[in-house]
Amino acid sequence: MSSRPALLSCQALGHRMGARILFKGLSFGVHEGDHIGIVGPNGSGKSTLLRLLAGVEPPDEGERVLQRDAVLGYVPQEARFPEGATVGEVLAGALAGLPLEEHEKDGMVAETLGRAGFEDPGQPVAVLSGGWRKRLDVARQWILNPDILLLDEPTNHLDLEGVLWLETLLRSTPKAFVVVSHDRAFLEAVCNRIVEIDRRHLEGVLSVPGNYSRFLEVREAALDSQDAARAALANRVRQEIAWLRKMPQGRQAKQQARVQQAGALIEDLADARSRAHQRTADVQFAATDRKTRKLVEAKGVGKAYGDRTLFRDLDLLLSPGERVGLLGPNGSGKSTLLAMLEGRLAPDEGTLVRAEGLVTVHFTQDRSVLDPAQTLRRALCPEGEFVVHQDRPVHVASWAQRFLFQKDQLELAVGRLSGGEQARLLVAKLMLQPADVLILDEPTNDLDIPTLEVLEDSLLEFPGGLVLVTHDRAMLGRLATRLLALDGEGGASWHEDLDQWHEARRQRERGRSPAAASRPAAESRPKPKAQKLTWKEQQEWEGIEAAIERAEAEVSRWEGAVADPKVASDAWELQQRCTALEQAQVEVARLYDRWAELDAKRSGG
């Protein structure tokens, strides 16, 4: 625990959701340089905690303290922007009221737009995809240079390119941030501390310094220790119960203290067992009995909209047991290709043959397919009281329990369910449909990590074909037998794994500017203008050498801080300084890349 004062702290926080206690007596602090990941099962109160830390709503118990003059930024799950605004106006609006000259604001807006991958400040927010709206919401807080940034599920709606952009952004900052996320690879890459909110822990929270892998090791040891303590407590309770049964009636008054102690031990054991119990969703996908080896075969397939080619010369053979991960930036044609595989859309060129009578089942991230006014009971079971799973009838209440719903939720409107509960509802509906091919489009959004792991186990056992679109690299790495990458410029390429895809991506981007590589989808933005500096880019160019000098000075400062013999014996402080040095070095490299990019553009390269 750091001896320095916390930038943001909570003391003995308690909060309820109706009659249900989310957490009680929760305390921890956020210090300079903390990169904290918040994890926990759905319903544990992670998003609520972030709102309490942001000051959006007050806690029922305890207090939240923000250090005086500390600047706090908050990125909620759903972004809201002024109606009719452009991306430039959103960022300029974030700076309104600050004591800055107009040219300073213009420069900050230009630099932030560049870092976020936006090329046109006049682009309307209304035409942005969900992923680009998320980028803009992060950028709107980033431009304020907050001392602490709070982010709630920031990788939801981002494609993989967007997740990598956010990773680079967060890894480059020495400032503190707290992120709620279920993305395991993302947590591994950006966090130096993991905090889990889970009633299984004695204090309701487990805080572990280090990355996500380190957290898993410590949590396993902590839970094993609790298991041993619970077993010892159970043995003591058995001994006390045996004593109570043999206790002579005439000596009850003299043994009253021991009787009370036995009662307390029994209550402690019941509480420990209750906390240790963690239910997970029961996910088992049903397959047909089809024996064919060719479920879908595409040869030389291509598709275009207007004068824009999404992909061309694409060959694909999907067989039972094969799990294809589909990658590509927003607008690259992933949804179009999925529609072709389902038979809802024909290719412009080439041939695509689906096995006769092929049954495909599509999981979509679009929650609009759910009727918010419908009850959970009718959403799970449109008629009657039983659903049919793998040829067996299952009562709707039992079916709901398999997905962690309580009986008293069956009459609740779907619109009142949380994001995680709606995601589990979609999985429950999907499981009732036997399939030859499963098509999963961003199935990880809003699901907690335990449910994700169960989902992955079930998909590994599914004997049919699988096409998976996800930004979750942990899921891709575990499930995909190969990867198909669409580049958004008409190209499609196959890769054995993510490492091979990363290398191909690096090689491709060496031949073009980073801004072009990460631009928004073509259908949601105007075509880029000829290669020349815009007025704001010219401003950025004129100040970039000074920015590089400042960044290099920051590297020198941290090099001296790391070499200071006074911190040699303080492992925590030394780690923080080494992390800050690494981040400063990353920033220098980024600025040099940006300098080269702008120089090439102004010289017509």
Side-chain angles (χ1 to χ4, degrees), residues 52-53 57 70 85 158 168 193 211 214 232 234 287 297 308 361 415 494 497-499 534-535 569:
L52 300 184
L53 293 177
E57 59 182 88
L158 290 178
T168 301
R193 184 176 162 204
N211 57 17
R214 172 63 177 160
E297 185 175 20
R308 179 170 178 261
V361 173
W494 288 97
D497 52 33
L498 281 169
D499 288 340
T534 65
W535 179 77
S569 59

Side-chain angles (χ1 to χ4, degrees), residues 287 295-296 318-324 358-361 435-440 459 462-468:
L295 299 174
V296 182
L318 184 62
S319 302
E322 185 168 19
R323 299 182 296 273
V324 174
L358 186 77
V359 180
T360 58
V361 173
D436 300 309
V437 176
L438 287 178
I439 296 177
L440 304 184
L459 292 174
F462 178 68
L466 170 66
V467 180
L468 174 66

Side-chain angles (χ1 to χ4, degrees), residues 369-599:
V369 299
L370 298 174
D371 180 356
Q374 190 176 40
T375 64
L376 174 61
R377 178 189 298 274
R378 292 282 73 96
L380 289 169
C381 181
E383 297 180 359
E385 291 297 308
F386 290 86
V387 301
V388 178
H389 180 242
Q390 297 182 348
D391 298 325
R392 294 193 301 271
V394 181
H395 193 274
V396 62
S398 298
W399 188 246
Q401 286 183 324
R402 288 184 64 164
F403 299 91
L404 310 185
F405 295 110
Q406 304 299 319
K407 287 184 179 180
D408 59 5
Q409 290 182 283
L410 285 173
E411 304 308 323
L412 195 65
V414 168
R416 295 184 60 191
L417 298 177
S418 69
E421 288 170 334
Q422 290 184 1
R424 294 202 304 272
L425 169 59
L426 289 173
V427 173
K429 293 166 68 70
L430 183 70
M431 275 178 50
L432 294 176
Q433 307 171 61
D436 300 309
V437 176
L438 287 178
I439 296 177
L440 304 184
D441 187 1
E442 294 293 357
T444 67
N445 284 351
D446 297 315
L447 291 179
D448 59 18
I449 292 173
T451 304
L452 284 179
E453 292 170 345
V454 172
L455 176 62
E456 289 170 359
D457 290 340
S458 178
L459 292 174
L460 283 170
E461 296 174 359
F462 178 68
L466 170 66
V467 180
L468 174 66
V469 178
T470 181
H471 61 262
D472 190 317
R473 284 157 293 168
M475 175 173 276
L476 280 172
R478 189 177 180 204
L479 293 181
T481 54
R482 57 180 178 148
L483 302 174
L484 174 59
L486 307 180
D487 64 12
E489 299 176 354
S493 56
W494 288 97
H495 306 277
E496 293 300 317
D497 52 33
L498 281 169
D499 288 340
Q500 192 179 90
W501 173 78
H502 275 296
E503 181 57 31
R505 177 174 172 267
R506 283 191 292 267
Q507 291 180 4
R508 187 176 72 250
E509 291 185 358
R510 289 191 187 109
R512 59 179 183 167
S513 71
S518 60
R519 64 179 180 270
E523 67 266 23
S524 66
R525 57 174 296 140
K527 292 183 179 180
K529 299 178 181 179
Q531 289 286 310
K532 63 180 182 179
L533 294 185
T534 65
W535 179 77
K536 290 186 176 180
E537 286 175 332
Q538 182 64 36
Q539 284 191 313
E540 186 182 356
W541 167 257
E542 291 172 357
I544 200 164
E545 288 190 16
I548 289 173
E549 289 180 3
R550 290 193 297 270
E552 288 180 333
E554 189 74 357
V555 169
S556 298
R557 183 171 76 85
W558 284 113
E559 285 176 340
V562 169
D564 186 352
K566 295 179 181 179
V567 300
S569 59
D570 187 340
W572 191 91
E573 180 63 25
L574 184 60
Q575 179 188 358
Q576 297 305 303
R577 295 188 183 192
C578 288
T579 299
L581 173 59
E582 180 183 352
Q583 291 165 345
Q585 291 168 335
V586 168
E587 176 65 5
V588 169
R590 185 198 69 79
L591 286 169
Y592 271 112
D593 287 344
R594 182 61 173 162
W595 177 86
E597 175 192 342
L598 293 173
D599 185 50

Side-chain angles (χ1 to χ4, degrees), residues 4 7 30-36 147-148 170 173-178 190-193 558 572 575-577 579-580 583:
R4 295 167 298 158
L7 294 169
V30 183
H31 300 80
E32 291 181 6
D34 272 351
H35 294 173
I36 299 175
D147 299 292
I148 310 164
L170 293 179
T173 181
K175 297 298 183 73
F177 64 78
V178 180
V190 305
C191 294
N192 59 24
R193 184 176 162 204
W558 284 113
W572 191 91
Q575 179 188 358
Q576 297 305 303
R577 295 188 183 192
T579 299
Q583 291 165 345

Side-chain angles (χ1 to χ4, degrees), residues 194-427:
I194 303 293
V195 175
E196 182 174 50
I197 303 174
D198 193 325
R199 61 191 302 269
R200 290 183 298 171
H201 305 306
L202 290 175
E203 303 297 329
V205 62
L206 177 66
S207 179
V208 179
N211 57 17
Y212 186 70
S213 297
R214 172 63 177 160
F215 158 75
L216 292 178
E217 294 173 0
V218 173
R219 181 180 65 177
E220 182 177 5
L223 293 178
D224 285 346
S225 176
Q226 289 185 42
D227 287 343
R230 190 167 57 253
L233 179 59
N235 188 50
R236 285 192 61 193
V237 167
R238 282 192 294 270
Q239 294 173 354
E240 293 301 305
I241 290 176
W243 174 83
L244 286 171
R245 286 172 176 167
K246 293 187 296 184
M247 184 183 70
Q249 292 294 321
R251 299 178 61 191
Q252 284 190 10
K254 297 180 180 180
Q255 301 295 342
Q256 190 62 37
R258 186 169 178 181
V259 171
Q260 293 176 349
Q261 181 184 27
L265 288 174
I266 292 171
E267 290 181 3
D268 290 345
L269 179 60
D271 178 65
R273 285 174 171 168
S274 173
R275 285 189 291 102
H277 181 64
Q278 183 186 47
R279 294 178 59 224
T280 56
D282 184 4
V283 181
Q284 296 176 3
F285 291 106
T288 65
D289 294 325
R290 182 181 295 275
K291 304 301 182 183
T292 180
R293 301 305 301 168
K294 291 184 179 181
L295 299 174
V296 182
E297 185 175 20
K299 293 183 177 180
V301 164
K303 189 68 180 179
Y305 284 108
D307 60 354
R308 179 170 178 261
T309 300
L310 294 178
F311 46 84
R312 67 176 77 85
D313 299 325
L314 171 60
D315 295 336
L316 178 149
L317 176 61
L318 184 62
S319 302
E322 185 168 19
R323 299 182 296 273
V324 174
L326 182 57
L327 308 178
N330 291 331
S332 60
K334 298 191 297 294
S335 297
T336 298
L337 179 57
L338 295 182
M340 290 169 57
L341 296 178
E342 286 188 87
R344 295 187 290 109
L345 192 65
D348 293 339
E349 57 187 48
T351 61
L352 189 146
V353 179
R354 304 169 78 246
E356 185 176 355
L358 186 77
V359 180
T360 58
V361 173
H362 189 171
F363 177 96
T364 175
Q365 61 177 315
D366 185 6
R367 301 291 190 267
S368 66
V369 299
L370 298 174
D371 180 356
Q374 190 176 40
T375 64
L376 174 61
R377 178 189 298 274
R378 292 282 73 96
L380 289 169
C381 181
E383 297 180 359
E385 291 297 308
F386 290 86
V387 301
V388 178
H389 180 242
Q390 297 182 348
D391 298 325
R392 294 193 301 271
V394 181
H395 193 274
V396 62
S398 298
W399 188 246
Q401 286 183 324
R402 288 184 64 164
F403 299 91
L404 310 185
F405 295 110
Q406 304 299 319
K407 287 184 179 180
D408 59 5
Q409 290 182 283
L410 285 173
E411 304 308 323
L412 195 65
V414 168
R416 295 184 60 191
L417 298 177
S418 69
E421 288 170 334
Q422 290 184 1
R424 294 202 304 272
L425 169 59
L426 289 173
V427 173

